[in-house]
Amino acid sequence: MKAVALFDLPEDELRAYRPEREEPPEFDAFWTRTLAEARDLAPGPRFEAADVPLATVEVFDVTFGGGGGSPVRAWLVLPRQCEEPLPCVVEFLGYGGGRGLAHEWLLYASAGYAHLVMDTRGQGGGWRRGDTPDPGAGGEPHSPGFMTLGIGNPHTYYYRRLYADAARAVETAREHPAVDPARVAVTGGSQGGGLALAAAGLVPGVIACLPDVPFLCHFERAIRLTDQLPYAEIAGYLRVHREAAPRVRHTLAYFDALHFAARARAQALFSVALMDEVCPPSTVYAAYNHYAGEKRIVEYPFNRHEGGQGHHDLEKLAFLGKVFGEERPPA
C-alpha cells in the first residue's frame, strides 16, 4: 500500500470513487442567466499588439468582458507568421497567481498553437503578478483569500464571476482571426484545472479539456478531508460562522466542478497526484469518474500538488496533437 492510504482512500477504491452529485435544481438556469448577463454587458474584446523582445512569437495584450461585464486581461501568444487559423489552448491559472509577463508563456506557441492565458481577477499577488481587479467584490466578512468571498449567496460568490470569466475567455479566443474556433482546448492546474472543467461544461464545442490536479472538485469531501489551503479557508470560516454551514453548502453546490464535468463532452486528459494533500486524489477521481466525455487520466503516485510538471507537459502535447489532428512524433 502506498503512503496515500494514510491520507485518502486505498488505490482500488480511489479509482472507482464516484460519489452521488447533489446538484441544485436551478443549476442550468443559474449559469444560463450568468453567462447571458456577462455577454450582454461585455464590450467587444480588444487585441493590442504587445512590444516584446521575442523573435518566434507575437503577443497580443487582450482585454475582454468577463463576469458581470467587467474587464479581464489575458495574453494571446501566437507563432509568428502563422498563415491559417490555428488550434488554440486557453489556459487558466492556479490559486493566487496572475497572467504574469508574456515571455513566461512560450510552450504552446512553440508547439505551433495559439495560446490564450487568462488573468485571474483579484488574484496575482501570491506567486505571479496579475492585472485584473475584481470590482464585484463586496465588503462582507470572509476568511483571508477568495474561497469565502461572497459565499453567503451563489449570486455574490467570487467564483460566479471567475467561472463566467473562464467561459468568456474561450469565446474571446474564438473571435481572433488567427484562431480556428472549432479547435479550442482548455487547460490549467489546480484552480486552473477546476476552471477548465467549468469552461468545458459551460461552453459548447470545446474540443479538449486538460485539467491537472484540479481544485474546486467535490467540496463536501475536500473541506473535511484536508486542512491545507485553500480548502481550509472554508473550514476556517465555518469555525467562526457556525450557523452558516447550510447556506455555504447551498452556495458551493453551484460551483462544484463535478457538475460541470457531468456536462462536458470534450475529450479529456486529467492528471492526479496520489500524495496530493491540497487537492486530495479522491476529489480528482470524483470529477474524473463523473466526466461525460471520452477521457483518460495519468497518475503520479509519488507526487504531491506539483503533479507531473514538465513530464506531464509532454503527455499534454501528445494528446493535443491527436485531438487537433496534428499528431507529432514522440519526443
Side-chain angles (χ1 to χ4, degrees):
M1 191 69 69
K2 293 187 173 69
V4 67
L6 302 175
F7 164 65
D8 208 332
L9 299 173
E11 289 182 31
D12 56 344
E13 295 180 28
L14 190 64
R15 295 178 182 123
Y17 184 62
R18 191 177 187 273
E20 293 293 322
R21 294 189 300 109
E22 298 183 7
E23 180 184 300
E26 294 294 310
F27 184 89
D28 287 319
F30 174 85
W31 285 107
T32 296
R33 289 194 301 270
T34 296
L35 295 185
E37 174 190 273
R39 294 177 187 121
D40 288 346
L41 295 173
R46 297 199 310 271
F47 299 92
E48 299 175 344
D51 184 12
V52 293
L54 301 171
T56 61
V57 300
E58 58 180 331
V59 178
F60 293 90
D61 189 348
V62 183
T63 305
F64 66 91
S70 62
V72 178
R73 305 289 293 280
W75 296 119
L76 178 63
V77 187
L78 302 172
R80 193 171 290 279
Q81 297 176 338
C82 56
E83 297 181 357
E84 58 186 27
L86 300 171
C88 181
V89 178
V90 177
E91 184 163 1
F92 310 111
L93 306 175
Y95 194 80
R99 67 173 182 159
L101 303 174
H103 68 265
E104 298 176 281
W105 304 103
L106 300 180
L107 176 65
Y108 292 114
S110 298
Y113 305 136
H115 184 200
L116 187 138
V117 183
M118 188 188 87
D119 204 14
T120 309
R121 63 168 64 225
Q123 298 186 31
W127 53 275
R128 184 187 278 130
R129 61 173 286 175
D131 300 301
T132 302
D134 180 25
E140 63 280 345
H142 64 282
S143 295
F146 299 89
M147 294 302 296
T148 64
L149 185 58
I151 202 168
N153 188 304
H155 291 87
T156 60
Y157 190 38
Y158 169 79
Y159 280 93
R160 181 187 184 220
R161 301 185 291 280
L162 191 57
Y163 284 19
D165 293 349
R168 291 284 301 132
V170 173
E171 294 171 349
T172 296
R174 286 173 166 167
E175 292 195 39
H176 195 277
V179 170
D180 178 353
R183 291 190 293 169
V184 175
V186 291
T187 193
S190 192
Q191 176 182 257
L195 292 174
L197 288 167
L202 287 170
V203 184
V206 170
I207 195 171
C209 179
L210 300 88
D212 295 333
V213 293
F215 181 47
L216 306 167
C217 300
H218 199 8
F219 286 108
E220 193 71 20
R221 179 171 176 81
I223 63 177
R224 287 172 166 78
L225 184 60
T226 181
D227 60 1
Q228 299 293 306
L229 294 171
Y231 282 122
E233 293 176 23
I234 299 172
Y237 177 86
L238 292 175
R239 279 196 293 273
V240 176
H241 296 269
R242 295 169 175 84
E243 78 295 341
R247 189 168 68 249
V248 166
R249 185 177 293 113
H250 173 73
T251 292
L252 292 177
Y254 286 89
F255 301 91
D256 196 320
L258 268 61
H259 307 322
F260 298 99
R263 288 163 167 78
R265 298 294 186 272
Q267 295 184 57
L269 177 68
F270 283 67
S271 72
V272 59
L274 298 189
M275 293 186 179
D276 189 346
E277 295 181 344
V278 176
C279 295
S282 59
T283 66
V284 176
Y285 266 104
Y288 176 75
N289 287 327
H290 275 292
Y291 193 87
E294 181 183 336
K295 62 197 174 187
R296 181 166 69 89
I297 191 166
V298 179
E299 291 183 356
Y300 294 95
F302 299 101
N303 286 92
R304 298 182 185 274
H305 194 52
E306 76 280 1
Q309 297 181 308
H311 295 276
H312 196 64
D313 286 337
L314 294 177
E315 292 274 357
K316 291 166 73 172
L317 289 173
F319 178 82
L320 287 170
K322 294 177 181 177
V323 172
F324 288 151
E326 300 181 344
E327 190 166 355
R328 293 140 192 220

